[in-house]
Amino acid sequence: MDYNEEIIGLIRPKVPFSTKAAYALGHIFNDLAAAMWFSYTLLYLQRIALFQPITAGALLFLGQIVDALATPVFGFLVDRYYDKKKWHLIGSIMVTFSFPVIFGTFVDTRSPIAKVVYVASITVFQTGWPAVQISHLSVIPILSKSPLIRTELTAIRYSAQVGAAVTVFIITWIVLPANDESLLQVTEQDANKFRNIALMITVIGVVATIFFHIFLKSHLLEDPSKADLSEIRIENSVPQELPWSTITLLLKVAMLYVASRLFITLATIYLPLYIEDINVGGKQALATVPLVAHVSSFAAALFLKYITRSCGTRVCYLLGALVGVLSSFVVEFAGGNAIALYSAAILIGAGSSITMITSLSITADLIGLRTEKSALVYSCVTFLDKVVTGLAVVLIEKARCEDRELCLNYNRDTLATVCVSSMMLGLLSLMSVSRCLSCNYKI
């Protein structure tokens, strides 16, 4: 620890376990909703709502665009007005009242107003979601100035995310399968089951949010960077102009995050469609395969803390990207059998966990001590991810042929392509960021 960190340590002690646990609860509702949104929205809209693929893709794209536009707005608002917990509460309320409507089949999907209801609920949901995300992320640099503790908080946050996703898939595993094993694919008859899953997720999310607001004390979120240290002389201190204000570096770090999010999001979206195409495990596999992926992700997150201490964040990102590339080869060339399917799920889970945590850790290090702008930085970094992901889904669905018999391997090829291309983007971004950080800022 250098002299700067010692001074900050006088202002803010080490983060106790109770605070870490309370912080972990703050994004549970978002994570539960996101797991269902990305895993089952296209499947639900095409198989149950009976929308055309391009319409389903457009609705998902709408959500991503609303999310992307709302993200920088909340990045500004969270830094400027009220405290972070209030914005977190506002976003949570919006998610609570909109998310169940998306999967609730509360209106007849053949009704003329059905699309209006979907558009309205998706818009409210994807406006509240980034309010929770940005306010929650911006807490990390305030709770600790230590890069190691920030990485630990990010890993805890990601572990909670994985735990939430596992919860979704366990619930789906229990609720979705039919008694008639001959019904291997999702149909309109499963509408009530999806509604029950969404309602159960909402209840769990609301309870976690209440506990977050009760146990994470507001005084811990008072920004110590605003303390007056002008009379303290710090030798070899960091420059007043920190790298987060450098637009070029910020964009490069943003692309590192975009690659990670593109990998995990598109893999999550197209894995269920790929499972249906190869007919391995029936509807039960729609829960068990993503469950295996997230258990693998959780295991990788647990070990990442120790690997980071030995190798550093950039080497860890490289490792995760290579695992992600390997997953694409397994999907494409290992054959449509159970062993290949679950092996790919394990690799996708591990690769997504490693790249996501390390990209967020690099972002936190980029912010450095300038925590008063943390929400704005996180919003800029996450903005591109949401736009790029939404565009990718629309393009993929637009290219889909209408006759499934003519493109039996479309979802397989799509899953393999998005995995390898996103991780190659990550590797290119890593090379660029590493050169920049070596010259400008030491992680």
Side-chain angles (χ1 to χ4, degrees), residues 207-219:
V207 171
T209 300
I210 291 172
F211 285 156
F212 166 78
H213 282 274
I214 291 174
F215 293 112
L216 187 65
K217 305 304 179 183
S218 296
H219 73 272

Side-chain angles (χ1 to χ4, degrees), residues 282-352:
K283 284 189 288 189
Q284 191 175 32
L286 293 174
T288 57
V289 174
L291 178 61
V292 168
H294 282 81
V295 169
S296 171
S297 182
F298 180 74
L302 291 178
F303 287 103
L304 187 60
K305 174 182 176 181
Y306 306 101
I307 301 174
T308 302
R309 287 180 175 176
S310 302
C311 305
T313 53
R314 283 171 277 177
V315 173
C316 284
Y317 190 97
L318 173 62
L319 175 63
L322 294 177
V323 171
V325 171
L326 180 59
S327 70
S328 70
F329 284 97
V330 173
V331 169
E332 186 68 25
F333 301 113
N337 55 68
I339 295 177
L341 180 61
Y342 285 97
S343 297
I346 291 171
L347 293 171
I348 289 172
S352 63

Side-chain angles (χ1 to χ4, degrees), residues 59-134:
L59 286 171
L60 194 144
F61 177 63
L62 169 67
Q64 294 301 103
I65 289 299
V66 171
D67 192 346
L69 294 176
T71 294
V73 173
F74 283 114
F76 174 79
L77 293 176
V78 169
D79 281 333
R80 288 294 187 92
Y81 303 103
Y82 307 117
D83 60 42
K84 301 182 188 305
K85 288 182 70 176
K86 288 181 180 177
W87 288 112
H88 185 282
L89 180 60
I90 292 171
S92 298
I93 292 173
M94 296 177 72
V95 173
T96 300
F97 287 101
S98 59
F99 174 72
V101 179
I102 299 173
F103 296 94
T105 57
F106 295 109
V107 296
D108 187 350
T109 56
R110 298 178 181 86
S111 169
I113 66 169
K115 291 181 181 179
V116 176
V117 172
Y118 277 109
V119 168
S121 57
I122 287 172
T123 300
V124 175
F125 168 60
Q126 294 288 21
T127 302
W129 203 96
V132 176
Q133 180 196 33
I134 296 302

Side-chain angles (χ1 to χ4, degrees), residues 85 105 109 159 162 175 181 259 270 273 276 323 335 337 364 431 433:
K85 288 182 70 176
T105 57
T109 56
S159 298
V162 174
V175 175
E181 291 299 328
Y270 286 100
L273 294 173
E276 270 208 334
V323 171
N337 55 68
M431 293 172 58
V433 168

Side-chain angles (χ1 to χ4, degrees), residues 76-392:
F76 174 79
L77 293 176
V78 169
D79 281 333
R80 288 294 187 92
Y81 303 103
Y82 307 117
D83 60 42
K84 301 182 188 305
K85 288 182 70 176
K86 288 181 180 177
W87 288 112
H88 185 282
L89 180 60
I90 292 171
S92 298
I93 292 173
M94 296 177 72
V95 173
T96 300
F97 287 101
S98 59
F99 174 72
V101 179
I102 299 173
F103 296 94
T105 57
F106 295 109
V107 296
D108 187 350
T109 56
R110 298 178 181 86
S111 169
I113 66 169
K115 291 181 181 179
V116 176
V117 172
Y118 277 109
V119 168
S121 57
I122 287 172
T123 300
V124 175
F125 168 60
Q126 294 288 21
T127 302
W129 203 96
V132 176
Q133 180 196 33
I134 296 302
S135 58
H136 191 257
L137 274 173
S138 62
V139 167
I140 293 177
I142 295 177
L143 287 179
S144 177
K145 306 305 169 189
S146 167
L148 285 177
I149 295 179
R150 286 178 174 181
T151 300
E152 183 181 2
L153 286 170
T154 305
I156 290 172
R157 181 182 184 277
Y158 190 84
S159 298
Q161 174 184 334
V162 174
V166 167
T167 301
V168 171
F169 298 127
I170 289 177
I171 293 173
T172 305
W173 188 6
I174 295 171
V175 175
L176 186 59
N179 294 327
D180 186 353
E181 291 299 328
S182 64
L183 299 175
L184 296 178
Q185 292 192 334
V186 172
T187 65
E188 290 180 88
Q189 297 177 0
D190 296 307
N192 290 337
K193 295 179 180 179
F194 275 94
R195 181 180 61 195
N196 293 338
I197 293 169
L199 291 174
M200 293 169 69
I201 286 172
T202 300
V203 171
I204 296 171
V206 168
V207 171
T209 300
I210 291 172
F211 285 156
F212 166 78
H213 282 274
I214 291 174
F215 293 112
L216 187 65
K217 305 304 179 183
S218 296
H219 73 272
L220 295 175
L221 304 184
E222 295 174 358
D223 195 342
S225 68
K226 296 178 181 177
D228 185 7
L229 298 178
S230 59
E231 297 181 1
I232 301 176
R233 182 178 179 182
I234 301 177
E235 297 295 336
N236 298 321
S237 62
V238 295
Q240 194 171 16
E241 180 82 4
L242 288 179
W244 67 261
S245 61
T246 303
I247 295 177
T248 301
L249 181 58
L250 181 57
L251 287 175
K252 290 178 179 179
V253 172
M255 290 309 298
L256 197 67
Y257 177 82
V258 166
S260 304
R261 286 297 307 172
L262 199 61
F263 175 78
I264 186 173
T265 301
L266 293 180
T268 302
I269 290 172
Y270 286 100
L271 189 57
L273 294 173
Y274 170 60
I275 294 169
E276 270 208 334
D277 278 356
I278 63 175
N279 273 334
V280 173
K283 284 189 288 189
Q284 191 175 32
L286 293 174
T288 57
V289 174
L291 178 61
V292 168
H294 282 81
V295 169
S296 171
S297 182
F298 180 74
L302 291 178
F303 287 103
L304 187 60
K305 174 182 176 181
Y306 306 101
I307 301 174
T308 302
R309 287 180 175 176
S310 302
C311 305
T313 53
R314 283 171 277 177
V315 173
C316 284
Y317 190 97
L318 173 62
L319 175 63
L322 294 177
V323 171
V325 171
L326 180 59
S327 70
S328 70
F329 284 97
V330 173
V331 169
E332 186 68 25
F333 301 113
N337 55 68
I339 295 177
L341 180 61
Y342 285 97
S343 297
I346 291 171
L347 293 171
I348 289 172
S352 63
S353 175
I354 295 171
T355 55
M356 180 55 56
I357 293 173
T358 50
S359 65
L360 285 174
S361 297
I362 291 173
T363 305
D365 289 334
L366 184 65
I367 294 170
L369 306 181
R370 295 295 297 272
T371 57
E372 74 278 6
K373 295 293 184 182
S374 58
L376 183 59
V377 172
Y378 279 118
S379 67
C380 292
V381 169
T382 58
F383 172 81
L384 282 175
D385 134 61
K386 293 158 184 179
V387 174
V388 172
T389 301
L391 285 173

